[in-house]
Amino acid sequence: MKLSYKLYPFQPTSIEKKTVGDIIILHGLFGSSKNWVTIAKYLSGFGSVYTVDARNHGDSPHSKEHSIRLMSEDLEELIQDHNIQSPILLGHSMGGLVAMYFDFTHPGFLKELIIQDIAPRSYPFAYDKEIQSMSFPLDAFKSRTEIDAEMAKYLPDTFIRQFLQMSLERMDSGEYRWKLNVQGLNEARRLFEDTFSDAQTSNTKVLFLIGGISEYIDQKDLLLIKNKFSNLQVKTILTGGHYIHFTHQKEYLEILGEEFSLIS
């Protein structure tokens, strides 16, 4: 599948600065490349950055099929189309699962792997409230405020509603639509199950960025990660949750800046 993406060309902050190579950012479930503009602009000071819309998200095509394996194949197609060599993958949540799967199935290909707040294991599809909040007809609504009020009946969390609404588009007709394939994602409820095998390991240099109060990573996960990745570094933002690239952006960028300054 040909994915939609945005390219942020390398913009060195000094004449002497050399590129680290190409960086590819993979967003999480219900997200899009729009969630990563600030991060991408910052990282373009180290190399060219591709922010990618996964299938069924953003401006990428919709499909009835949605899995980590298929998203990894989509990523491989994008890499081949642009002749990208030894990229650095940064993946959050679902994007992190795709990045790890790609690394396990393409040993030695990546320059580095950066994984945000997810482990290489099965996760339940615990997003019924999110799906319900995007499943009512939109044709009768005249504003985002009206839509938000209706969404709040199903999803009280204001932060998550605002996150989802980054994929809410007003068309030329004045009507609203979801750029997300809500029905397709709802039918992909085994998306996070049985993706990884016990035998999969990696020698790729990898940095795990974890939120200290996140519900997505526990102590068993840390042991699993250590067993899977031999060239591992883990950094934790103690007061952060699952969306540390947004809620703790200053600290997040400082960690990335230190990491990318070491990459040659």
Side-chain angles (χ1 to χ4, degrees):
M1 178 179 288
K2 302 294 183 184
L3 300 178
S4 176
Y5 68 93
K6 184 169 182 181
L7 173 62
Y8 298 80
F10 176 45
Q11 296 183 348
T13 53
S14 65
I15 298 176
E16 299 82 14
K17 196 164 187 180
K18 296 182 178 180
T19 179
V20 300
D22 292 319
I23 304 160
I24 303 174
I25 298 178
L26 307 175
H27 63 77
L29 183 65
F30 306 130
S32 75
S33 57
K34 286 176 62 177
N35 309 137
W36 293 87
V37 173
T38 301
I39 307 299
K41 288 181 177 178
Y42 174 76
L43 292 181
S44 68
F46 298 92
S48 292
V49 182
Y50 294 81
T51 55
V52 181
D53 288 337
R55 61 170 55 210
N56 295 316
H57 294 73
D59 292 318
S60 284
H62 288 187
S63 171
K64 292 182 180 179
E65 297 181 298
H66 193 89
S67 69
I68 300 301
R69 178 184 60 80
L70 287 172
M71 285 184 281
S72 177
E73 291 176 3
D74 296 341
L75 172 62
E76 182 174 20
E77 184 173 351
L78 179 127
I79 288 171
Q80 291 176 347
D81 286 349
H82 295 276
N83 194 29
I84 297 172
Q85 304 295 322
S86 302
I88 299 165
L89 288 189
L90 190 167
H92 171 231
S93 198
M94 178 185 76
L97 296 175
V98 174
M100 287 185 285
Y101 184 87
F102 183 90
D103 180 49
F104 289 143
T105 55
H106 298 77
F109 183 78
L110 299 178
K111 178 175 285 188
E112 184 163 348
L113 192 58
I114 300 173
I115 302 298
Q116 180 181 329
D117 208 58
I118 203 75
R121 64 167 171 89
S122 295
Y123 284 85
F125 190 91
Y127 304 99
D128 287 334
K129 291 181 179 179
E130 286 85 348
I131 293 292
Q132 290 170 0
S133 75
M134 296 185 288
S135 294
F136 56 84
L138 297 177
D139 50 346
F141 293 89
K142 305 300 183 184
S143 69
R144 287 177 175 267
T145 301
E146 291 180 3
I147 294 172
D148 182 64
E150 185 68 18
M151 290 179 70
K153 297 176 182 179
Y154 307 93
L155 184 63
D157 190 319
T158 302
F159 175 83
I160 299 299
R161 291 202 313 274
Q162 291 176 344
F163 165 69
L164 295 178
Q165 288 166 24
M166 291 188 74
S167 294
L168 182 64
E169 179 182 52
R170 188 170 192 174
M171 298 179 289
D172 292 339
S173 64
E175 294 179 327
Y176 289 89
R177 76 175 183 100
W178 290 105
K179 299 177 82 171
L180 295 162
N181 182 1
V182 178
Q183 181 179 348
L185 294 174
N186 184 40
E187 293 173 356
R189 288 178 168 262
R190 298 198 63 188
L191 169 64
F192 304 124
E193 297 179 13
D194 304 324
T195 298
F196 303 99
S197 71
D198 294 339
Q200 289 172 320
T201 59
S202 171
N203 296 320
T204 302
K205 182 181 180 184
V206 58
L207 168 64
F208 274 79
L209 284 171
I210 294 171
I213 59 173
S214 170
E215 297 177 351
Y216 284 74
I217 297 281
D218 59 26
Q219 290 301 314
K220 289 183 179 179
D221 292 327
L222 291 175
L223 290 174
L224 172 65
I225 289 166
K226 289 178 181 178
N227 288 331
K228 290 283 190 184
F229 296 97
S230 61
N231 191 0
L232 171 67
Q233 186 179 17
V234 178
K235 292 195 175 181
T236 303
I237 297 179
L238 293 177
T239 58
H242 193 53
Y243 297 91
I244 47 178
H245 62 293
F246 180 80
T247 60
H248 293 67
Q249 193 169 91
K250 183 176 183 293
E251 189 174 353
Y252 185 87
L253 290 177
E254 287 174 353
I255 293 172
L256 288 183
E258 292 173 1
E259 182 65 19
F260 277 86
S261 294
L262 298 174
I263 299 174
S264 55

